[in-house]
């Protein structure tokens, strides 16, 4: 890779991002959505819930009857429809956009037949469940982890038999991704296999073709349809909802067996962000929200996708939100996952560079100036910096398009400091201290492992801009192991289920990178169980 003396190349905002994000059933462009205002109340999170729209079945011009109604069409919604279909239910899916869509990469699966046939080690469920619980600050619901760990392999094997293998027209071959045997990555560790479905490492093709399969099997999908309020009968059972279609008409959906809400993130809702996150992080996340949800070239309403309407619908129906909410973020540029020396806008080191790229946005948000970037300082030697995320350098260069990232080169640190607009005295002092520890083989300041210590002592020096973007919220309402939605007394709300990022108590204060495709794995398994439970009347 060639660098000029002053190379200024920009890489776009976070293209394909992490974590499994469910499609949000909000309003189509022609429907009226609850207004969100940028006011003092937004900054404090006051009145984040608002009031349910005053709609009744008398406002509806048509009625659609089904047995299981799934709200949202991404991974969790797709798997909910599949779970209900496999258990004999008539299924209808409604989606606010014109197509199914998803961001995210692999799906974590435990102890599947595919894994066993490949000669990969089987995982100890007790070990995994307890590591997840510990790494999520003991805030996760162990029964949700257990449902995922105990059933993901079985569900995937069934999916492979029904869809992946026999249907040539869909052509979504699965491949195993993971790091074996279980490595320790000092700050982050990865222990599980992920399933990938296409060369782009994004689940869009899988989701699109999976919906084609579901519709071929009799599932109805209604796009451009906004779910607005859930309906209960006199006994308190959820019997359906009222939605607005693309023509602005109110539609009464009657679901005789249940409604499954798979409605994704609330990351663009100011009031909810300030209510459920520290104000400094909420402000940073809203300013750097890069919720890229897409399906091929089909258009979607990007920021409307994560407005939290699904969460509010659930709470209007009696559900309870968790108080401490998780999040996912992503690095979009620079040598991400290669832990070179990193400095902030003051030219100072501030973290162990091995910290997972998926979990460290709060550290960036806390830096002076509230910016969403840092600078990687790299010498020009041939040190083979290992990845802290399992990538080869060649793969990273190809995948992340390194040559398009903003970067600079200079013969002296003083010149480099001027190029990246940081105080030269700070950058020089930071590098001198770092070099001293590298040469001694012991990082006394942040305890980065020896294998990542490389002195910045070989000019010309490079500075690479690494940007961080908020991606989505990973939090929601309380559910049990059958993915029934619970009320404030932890009792099931009859007829109401959830999956994906609408479900709470899956993470701690942030995404946990123990697992390869962890959020997607939870979404896929929980979505399936939710659809299954609804179909069986659990």
């Amino acid at each position: 890779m060639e660098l000029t003396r002053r190379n200024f190349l920009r890489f776009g905002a976070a293209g394909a991002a992490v974590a499994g994000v469910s499609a949000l059933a909000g309003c189509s462009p022609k429907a009226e959505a609850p207004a969100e205002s940028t006011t003092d109340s937004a900054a404090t999170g006051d009145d984040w819930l608002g009031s349910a729209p005053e709609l009744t079945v008398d406002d509806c011009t048509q009625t659609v009857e089904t047995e299981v109604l799934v709200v949202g069409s991404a991974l969790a919604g797709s798997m909910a429809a599949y779970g209900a279909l496999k258990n004999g239910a008539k299924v209808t899916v409604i989606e606010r956009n014109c197509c199914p869509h998803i961001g995210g990469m692999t799906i974590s699966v435990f102890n599947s037949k595919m894994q066993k046939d490949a000669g990969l080690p089987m995982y100890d469920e007790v070990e995994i469940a307890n590591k997840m619980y510990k790494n999520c600050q003991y805030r996760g619901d162990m029964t949700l982890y257990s449902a995922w760990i105990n059933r993901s392999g079985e569900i995937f094997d069934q999916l492979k038999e029904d869809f992946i293998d026999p249907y040539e027209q869909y052509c979504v071959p699965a491949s195993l991704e993971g790091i074996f045997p279980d490595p320790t990555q000092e700050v982050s560790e990865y222990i599980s296999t992920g399933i990938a479905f296409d060369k782009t490492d994004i689940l869009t093709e899988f989701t699109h073709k999976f919906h084609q399969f579901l519709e071929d099997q009799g599932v109805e999908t209604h796009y451009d349809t906004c779910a607005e309020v859930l309906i209960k009968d006199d006994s308190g059972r959820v019997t359906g909802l009222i939605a607005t279609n693309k023509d602005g008409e109110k539609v009464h959906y009657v679901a005789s067996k249940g409604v499954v809400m798979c409605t994704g993130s609330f990351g663009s809702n100011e009031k909810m962000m300030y209510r459920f996150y520290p104000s400094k992080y909420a402000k940073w996340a809203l300013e750097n929200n890069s919720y890229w949800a897409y399906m091929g070239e089909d258009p979607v309403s990007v920021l409307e996708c994560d407005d939290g309407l699904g969460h509010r619908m659930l709470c209007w129906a009696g559900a309870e939100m968790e108080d401490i909410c998780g999040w996912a973020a992503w690095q979009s540029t620079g040598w991400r996952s290669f832990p070179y020396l990193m400095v902030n806008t003051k030219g100072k080191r501030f973290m162990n560079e091995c910290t997972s790229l998926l979990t460290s946005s709060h550290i960036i948000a806390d830096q002076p100036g509230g910016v969403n970037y840092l600078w990687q300082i790299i010498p020009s030697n041939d040190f083979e910096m290992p990845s802290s995320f399992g990538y080869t350098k060649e793969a990273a260069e190809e995948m992340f398009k390194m040559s398009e990232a903003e970067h600079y080169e200079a013969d002296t640190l003083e010149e480099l400091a001027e190029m990246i607009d940081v105080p030269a005295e700070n950058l020089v002092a930071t590098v001198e201290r770092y070099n001293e520890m590298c040469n001694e083989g012991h990082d006394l300041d942040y305890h980065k492992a020896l294998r990542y210590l490389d002195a910045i002592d070989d000019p010309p020096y490079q500075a690479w801009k690494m940007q961080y973007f908020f991606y989505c919220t990973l939090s929601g309402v309380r559910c049990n192991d059958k993915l029934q939605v619970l009320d404030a007394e932890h009792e099931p709300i009859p007829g109401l289920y959830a999956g994906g990022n609408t479900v709470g108590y899956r993470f701690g204060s942030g995404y946990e990178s123990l697992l390869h495709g962890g959020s997607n794995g939870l979404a896929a398994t929980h979505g399936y169980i939710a659809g299954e439970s609804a179909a069986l009347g659990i």
Side-chain angles (χ1 to χ4, degrees):
M1 183 181 346
E2 293 184 3
L3 295 174
T4 61
R5 292 280 302 170
R6 184 175 176 87
N7 196 347
F8 187 92
L9 297 171
R10 294 190 178 274
F11 183 73
V18 67
V21 179
S22 299
L24 186 62
C27 296
S28 63
K30 295 184 180 180
E32 294 181 6
E36 303 296 343
S37 61
T38 307
T39 63
D40 289 341
S41 64
T44 61
D46 292 344
D47 192 29
W48 66 270
L49 182 56
S51 300
E54 296 181 0
L55 294 172
T56 70
V57 295
D58 294 334
D59 298 309
C60 300
T61 59
Q62 57 180 295
T63 299
V64 176
E65 294 187 356
T66 190
E67 291 183 327
V68 175
L69 178 65
V70 179
V71 186
S73 69
L75 183 58
S78 303
M79 291 300 291
Y82 178 54
L85 182 71
K86 285 293 292 184
N87 286 277
K90 178 183 178 182
V91 185
T92 302
V93 177
I94 63 174
E95 163 61 45
R96 72 181 300 168
N97 281 290
C98 63
C99 59
H101 62 285
I102 188 172
M105 293 183 177
T106 54
I107 303 172
S108 62
V109 171
F110 298 100
N111 299 344
S112 68
K113 184 177 183 297
M114 182 179 179
Q115 181 180 342
K116 184 176 181 180
D117 290 347
L120 298 175
M122 297 294 100
Y123 288 111
D124 184 314
E125 293 93 342
V126 172
E127 177 188 3
I128 290 171
N130 282 283
K131 278 191 174 181
M132 188 70 176
Y133 190 48
K134 175 184 175 182
N135 290 359
C136 289
Q137 301 97 48
Y138 306 102
R139 290 205 51 80
D141 184 337
M142 185 67 88
T143 65
L144 293 177
Y145 298 155
S146 296
W148 166 43
I149 292 166
N150 295 342
R151 298 207 52 197
S152 61
E154 159 215 330
I155 291 168
F156 174 75
D157 288 339
Q158 177 183 286
L159 179 68
K160 193 170 184 293
E161 180 180 345
D162 289 345
F163 166 58
I164 296 169
D165 289 345
Y167 287 89
E168 233 175 83
Q169 71 268 33
Y170 299 121
C171 191
V172 283
S175 62
L176 288 166
E177 292 192 358
I179 306 169
F180 296 95
D182 307 346
T184 297
Q185 298 283 1
E186 284 74 45
V187 175
S188 300
E189 59 182 340
Y190 306 92
I191 66 171
S192 77
T193 306
I195 307 296
F197 292 93
D198 62 39
K199 293 179 180 179
T200 63
D201 205 25
I202 303 300
L203 291 169
T204 53
E205 181 181 4
F206 166 81
T207 308
H208 193 272
K209 291 181 176 179
F210 190 33
H211 270 277
Q212 182 185 334
F213 164 78
L214 292 170
E215 289 164 11
D216 287 349
Q217 302 302 311
V219 173
E220 287 189 15
T221 307
H222 299 178
Y223 294 109
D224 296 309
T225 300
C226 163
E228 296 193 59
V229 65
L230 292 159
I231 297 175
K232 290 183 175 182
D233 64 16
D234 291 339
S235 72
R237 179 181 182 83
V238 171
T239 59
L241 56 77
I242 295 173
T244 302
N245 66 18
K246 63 181 177 180
D247 297 319
E249 300 168 328
K250 303 300 180 188
V251 182
H252 177 203
Y253 282 89
V254 179
S256 61
K257 292 191 171 183
V259 175
V260 185
M261 298 289 285
C262 301
T263 53
S265 170
F266 58 83
S268 70
N269 184 310
E270 288 183 78
K271 290 183 180 180
M272 292 186 74
M273 290 298 291
Y274 278 107
R275 164 62 181 82
F276 293 106
Y277 294 89
S279 59
K280 188 172 185 178
Y281 187 77
K283 180 177 184 296
W284 181 91
L286 288 162
E287 290 174 351
N288 297 288
N289 187 344
S290 186
Y291 183 92
W292 292 101
Y294 57 89
M295 177 57 60
E297 296 181 356
D298 293 326
V300 297
S301 304
V302 176
L303 288 180
E304 289 181 5
C305 287
D306 61 343
D307 65 0
L309 179 55
H311 291 81
R312 286 175 286 156
M313 286 174 61
L314 286 162
C315 292
W316 293 331
E320 181 183 55
M321 279 282 291
E322 63 182 320
D323 269 332
I324 298 178
C325 291
W327 44 262
W330 195 245
Q331 297 168 351
S332 71
T333 56
W335 287 95
R336 62 186 186 187
S337 87
F338 289 86
Y340 292 104
L341 170 66
M342 300 194 305
V343 300
N344 60 19
T345 56
K346 288 185 172 291
K348 295 182 177 181
R349 190 183 184 202
F350 59 95
M351 66 184 290
N352 183 328
E353 292 85 359
C354 288
T355 304
S356 171
L357 57 91
L358 306 177
T359 62
S360 52
S361 66
H362 66 290
I363 304 174
I364 310 306
D366 198 43
Q367 294 306 300
V371 299
N372 73 327
Y373 65 87
L374 54 84
W375 293 102
Q376 290 179 301
I377 308 301
I378 303 174
S380 296
N381 60 29
D382 58 358
F383 178 80
E384 289 298 323
M385 173 67 71
S387 168
S388 59
F389 201 61
Y391 297 119
T392 65
K393 197 166 186 178
E394 292 74 21
E397 188 168 8
E398 175 68 22
M399 186 185 305
F400 306 138
K401 300 180 180 178
M402 289 296 105
S403 61
E404 296 184 16
E406 180 180 346
H407 53 278
Y408 301 91
E409 183 178 283
D411 286 331
T412 68
L413 291 171
E414 288 82 0
E415 289 177 291
L416 193 66
E418 183 179 358
M419 291 175 176
I420 63 176
D421 193 27
V422 304
E425 63 276 15
N426 288 352
L427 181 61
V428 170
T430 295
V431 170
E432 287 178 350
R433 170 64 176 165
Y434 185 72
N435 287 351
E436 176 186 342
M437 294 186 295
C438 289
N439 293 331
E440 292 178 355
H442 191 179
D443 178 5
L444 295 172
D445 293 346
Y446 293 95
H447 285 85
K448 185 162 66 174
L450 175 61
R451 58 178 165 160
Y452 299 112
L453 295 179
D454 179 26
I456 312 298
D457 57 1
D458 184 18
Y461 306 110
Q462 302 168 17
W464 291 76
K465 191 174 191 177
M466 179 179 287
Q467 292 177 288
Y468 278 71
F469 290 92
F470 176 80
Y471 184 52
C472 68
T473 61
L474 298 171
S475 298
V477 298
R478 188 184 296 275
C479 296
N480 63 17
D481 62 336
K482 303 301 182 185
L483 277 299
Q484 296 171 287
V485 177
L486 306 183
D487 63 18
E489 298 300 318
H490 296 197
E491 296 294 334
I493 300 172
L496 189 56
Y497 309 84
N501 286 342
T502 316
V503 178
Y505 297 94
R506 297 169 305 137
F507 294 94
S509 58
Y511 186 79
E512 169 47 45
S513 59
L514 175 72
L515 304 143
H516 207 199
S519 181
N520 284 335
L522 287 161
T525 302
H526 290 164
Y528 182 92
I529 294 173
E532 174 186 72
S533 298
L536 295 176
I538 295 174

